[in-house]
Amino acid sequence: MAGKVNRVRILAIEVDRVTMAEAVERCLGFIDAGGAHMVVTPNAEIADAARRDPELAAIINGADLVVPDGIGVVMAARLLGDPLPERVGGADLAASLLAALDRRGGGRVFLLGTRPEVVAEAARRVQERYPRIRVVGWRDGFFGPEEEPAVLAQVREARPDVLFVALGSPKQERWLHRHLRDLGVPLGMGVGGTIDVWAGAVPRAPQWMQKLNLEWLFRIVRLRRASRSLPPLARFVLAVLRQRTGGAGKKR
């Protein structure tokens, strides 16, 4: 599709050169067009994982819209001399899309993922905050292969315009890649921990940290993920530096 032409290559993935406003408009266009469109929001960790996993890289690059969720991806593009307009965070894009749908008269939304009580509360809050939107279904993310046909049937029966999937990356991207076309949902988007935030189960970083692009640091400290997050981040930085000097093909 033509929208995939204007992309920035960062290691093994390609990211669309869009602002938040443009990303929202693209998403609205996907909904209006029908069919099945996938939105991916990679951060530095996902970019590093895709560098070492060609299948994941192909899934990301095959998506209809790929936006830079993390400031690390934005900084990498700048370092490589092909800057992106701005960071387009996945949580912010999802919320902006809901607001845009509400303003223009509504839409049908399905929430999939996280714990049963959390996704139910998120559905209630979304419905309350955006009264013109219909939350046509929700389902927790704790299902095995034997339950998957019932989950798929539930989504199909609900006929949402937008399917937000919170199964964690890269599981949610792989799941959408496998099922979105068969589900007949115009827009599917992996949203990670966003449903937990909508439910009030997990706080977002303070506004001042969001404005300084330090939300990643807030998550690491709050969840004590430094030991798991820093090695991928370090690999990502080193790989970007190698790409800048012409050695992007090496994987370590």
Side-chain angles (χ1 to χ4, degrees), residues 80-91:
L80 293 169
D82 196 1
L84 293 159
E86 63 183 17
R87 175 178 174 261
V88 182

Side-chain angles (χ1 to χ4, degrees), residues 113-184:
T114 194
R115 304 190 306 278
E117 68 279 8
V118 173
V119 69
E121 176 62 13
R124 185 191 70 79
R125 292 191 182 198
V126 167
Q127 188 71 81
E128 184 178 76
R129 181 167 185 179
Y130 307 101
R132 293 186 181 88
I133 285 176
R134 284 189 61 195
V135 180
V136 293
W138 62 90
R139 161 73 203 227
D140 68 87
F142 293 89
F143 55 88
E146 69 284 353
E147 299 170 280
E148 192 164 76
V151 174
L152 296 173
Q154 183 183 354
V155 176
R156 284 193 201 96
E157 187 175 346
R159 295 182 294 107
D161 300 310
V162 182
L163 172 62
F164 290 123
V165 180
L167 300 176
S169 292
K171 183 178 179 180
Q172 60 197 19
E173 286 77 25
R174 296 186 192 279
W175 194 91
L176 280 167
H177 177 71
R178 285 199 308 273
H179 299 299
L180 187 60
R181 191 169 299 280
D182 291 337
L183 288 172

Side-chain angles (χ1 to χ4, degrees), residues 30-38 160-162 180 184-188:
F30 295 155
I31 294 168
D32 293 340
H37 302 85
M38 182 172 167
D161 300 310
V162 182
L180 187 60
V185 178
L187 191 154

